[in-house]
Amino acid sequence: MAFKPANNIQDLQYFGEFGGVNPSISDSSTYTFLSAKTMFDTFEGNADGCYLYSRHSTPSNLYLGEALAAMEGTETASVTASGMGAITPVIMQLCGAGDHVVSSRTIYGGTYAFLKNFAPRFNVKTTFVDITKLDVVEAAITPNTKILYCESVSNPLLEVADISELSKLAKKHNLQLVVDNTFSPLSVSPVQLGADIVIHSLTKFINGSSDTVGGVVCGSQEFIDSLRNVNDGACMLLGSTMDSLRAASILKNLRTLHIRMQQHSLNATYLAEKFEADGLKTVYPGLASHPSHDLFKSMMNEKYGFGGMLTIDVGSLENANALMELMQEKNLGYLAVSLGFYKTLFSAPGSSTSSEIPEDEQKEMGLSNGLIRFSIGLDADIERTYKTMRACMESLDIL
Ligand SMILES: *Cc1c(COP(=O)(O)O)cnc(C)c1O
């Protein structure tokens, strides 16, 4: 694919106020106007380049937004205080009472809980489907459906969405295809494949240092403007605003994302191949055994690999807990939720990040008790990591 997301970030050029190599941080919640007329025009959304109030926009947030729009190849983007603070306004902006969402059933637990338990309060209903079955997806669409929602690579089962085919369905039925690309930044560019709106939790790989939460919505100028509209914009009115200091720090981390993703992918590929050869049930999009391996390959920006996320099944929750505790003791990583850190992070999704999903539904979607989700770190010596992990598994009779 000709699309070069990391170059697009690198090619941006913003100087600080005094010629600094980083843009200056604008540390203000409100902005002065030389004329009252300009203030009025800004309220009406007709004064480009003017700032009004920082819940609406700030220079630092715009710099980060533009860098993320360059990464995804969208007209523009709006950063938010968290990933959920990006997801919920997008849904509320696109749906009103009586509207309907068709969503993948394997999505982030918080998104699932929002669609299943919260949005119905506003009479927004969701049908959850197996996103890999396009006929099932299409059959779930009703005249009231407004959104087709999925993750490029799903949490935690690492199912891969066929974004090109889903976008055809979305266009046919006049829906917005909204894709959460948190698990595969740079590797997959959903808008290039036909998605309308891309969301990230910046908390994960993009920021990469597990020191902040953040989110972004990437899309058309028209849609992003609608989110920020002072009269009826969900970002403006629900108020999930990112702080300027955070925007500035995330922008600096974003610039090394391509190097980090390459190392995450390299390490995850090494471990996935070893685990599978050892006879462990291993799920990683980079393995030929993954049901969507070829699909992922056809969608990916090759350089960045198959990503840093993999799962193994160690048979029972007891095994999973014992292994995770032992791996932490051996300093192979941390027993923690979240992803994209320099250290490997592991958790058992059934009892943590996906615990919002009822047990019978977990079973139905193949989320077993012995599943461990790994976010593979930036380990300099992954062979040593593997040997120590293997020794942990042997000592617990898992291998
Ligand atoms: C973490 C995560 C979110 C939510 O992001 P926050 O920054 O925690 O609000 C959404 N989607 C996916 C895939 C995630 O991993």
Side-chain angles (χ1 to χ4, degrees):
M1 199 184 281
F3 190 66
K4 296 274 171 22
N7 286 355
N8 295 352
I9 298 169
Q10 175 123 22
D11 290 347
L12 291 173
Q13 198 183 46
Y14 295 129
F15 295 109
E17 197 177 351
F18 304 102
V21 295
N22 290 304
S24 305
I25 301 172
S26 81
D27 195 18
S28 296
S29 60
T30 190
Y31 302 83
T32 60
F33 290 86
L34 289 175
S35 86
K37 166 90 172 56
T38 320
M39 181 185 273
F40 175 78
D41 289 344
T42 306
F43 252 101
E44 298 285 296
N46 299 328
D48 260 2
C50 287
Y51 296 94
L52 178 69
Y53 182 65
S54 286
R55 176 154 43 78
H56 183 256
S57 69
T58 77
S60 299
N61 288 10
L62 289 186
Y63 290 134
L64 176 60
E66 289 318 303
L68 290 160
M71 178 178 88
E72 292 295 358
T74 56
E75 283 176 11
T76 189
S78 187
V79 296
T80 54
S82 69
M84 287 309 295
I87 292 164
T88 55
V90 165
I91 294 165
M92 298 316 279
Q93 191 71 27
L94 294 173
C95 291
D99 288 340
H100 177 248
V101 177
V102 173
S103 170
S104 166
R105 61 184 188 181
T106 57
I107 49 172
Y108 179 68
T111 312
Y112 180 88
F114 179 78
L115 288 171
K116 175 142 179 136
N117 306 326
F118 201 95
R121 292 193 200 175
F122 301 93
N123 200 21
V124 173
K125 303 245 166 69
T126 300
T127 304
F128 294 97
V129 295
D130 180 343
I131 203 73
T132 63
K133 299 208 165 81
L134 292 165
D135 52 335
V136 175
V137 174
E138 185 162 27
I141 296 169
T142 75
N144 294 334
T145 308
K146 292 287 189 303
I147 298 178
L148 189 49
Y149 187 95
C150 67
E151 297 174 0
S152 327
V153 180
S154 80
N155 179 47
L157 295 173
L158 309 181
E159 285 177 354
V160 179
D162 189 338
I163 295 169
S164 305
E165 288 303 317
L166 290 168
S167 87
K168 284 181 200 155
L169 278 186
K171 285 189 176 64
K172 181 172 159 198
H173 295 275
N174 201 21
L175 316 177
Q176 293 288 298
L177 176 58
V178 180
V179 180
D180 179 339
N181 198 28
T182 300
F183 273 34
S184 47
L186 296 176
S187 291
V188 178
S189 302
V191 167
Q192 307 310 308
L193 299 164
D196 299 292
I197 295 161
V198 182
I199 293 172
H200 283 276
S201 166
L202 303 178
T203 314
K204 316 294 172 50
F205 288 106
I206 289 180
N207 186 57
S209 49
S210 292
D211 58 357
T212 187
V213 288
V216 68
V217 184
C218 304
S220 67
Q221 188 74 50
E222 189 187 355
F223 180 66
I224 300 299
D225 285 349
S226 77
L227 285 172
R228 289 196 188 125
N229 188 293
V230 295
N231 293 308
D232 60 5
C235 278
M236 184 66 183
L237 299 177
L238 298 175
S240 59
T241 308
M242 178 175 278
D243 183 76
S244 288
L245 291 173
R246 281 308 187 188
S249 80
I250 295 170
L251 177 63
K252 285 174 269 190
N253 286 2
L254 173 66
R255 294 163 177 165
T256 57
L257 177 65
H258 58 300
I259 300 168
R260 289 185 281 114
M261 285 316 295
Q262 287 172 32
Q263 189 71 19
H264 285 300
S265 290
L266 211 67
N267 285 350
T269 301
Y270 182 90
L271 290 178
E273 284 172 355
K274 290 287 188 190
F275 289 158
E276 187 170 62
D278 286 337
L280 284 167
K281 197 172 152 212
T282 309
V283 176
Y284 182 64
L287 292 174
S289 60
H290 189 288
S292 303
H293 175 68
D294 291 333
L295 170 63
F296 194 103
K297 240 172 136 172
S298 74
M299 297 200 303
M300 75 197 284
N301 299 311
E302 210 165 304
K303 244 176 140 158
Y304 310 109
F306 293 90
M309 302 302 295
L310 67 86
T311 68
I312 59 173
D313 194 332
V314 293
S316 67
L317 185 59
E318 292 67 41
N319 276 351
N321 288 345
L323 179 60
M324 292 191 295
E325 286 167 13
L326 185 58
M327 287 192 299
Q328 178 160 262
E329 200 183 301
K330 301 284 180 200
N331 200 14
L332 291 167
Y334 297 141
L335 173 44
V337 298
S338 199
L339 39 134
F341 199 39
Y342 82 106
K343 282 258 195 189
T344 294
L345 303 178
F346 32 79
S347 56
S351 53
S352 60
T353 51
S354 296
S355 56
E356 293 93 338
I357 302 171
E359 239 173 88
D360 50 328
E361 285 174 50
Q362 289 193 20
K363 232 178 231 140
E364 197 188 312
M365 61 179 70
L367 215 166
S368 58
N369 277 332
L371 198 75
I372 303 178
R373 182 187 81 176
F374 286 81
S375 163
I376 304 300
L378 301 172
D379 307 31
D381 185 352
I382 196 67
E383 211 177 309
R384 184 190 70 165
T385 303
Y386 166 68
K387 283 184 183 144
T388 316
M389 280 184 180
R390 200 191 143 97
C392 290
M393 291 183 206
E394 280 169 344
S395 77
L396 294 169
D397 281 332
I398 292 166
L399 276 183

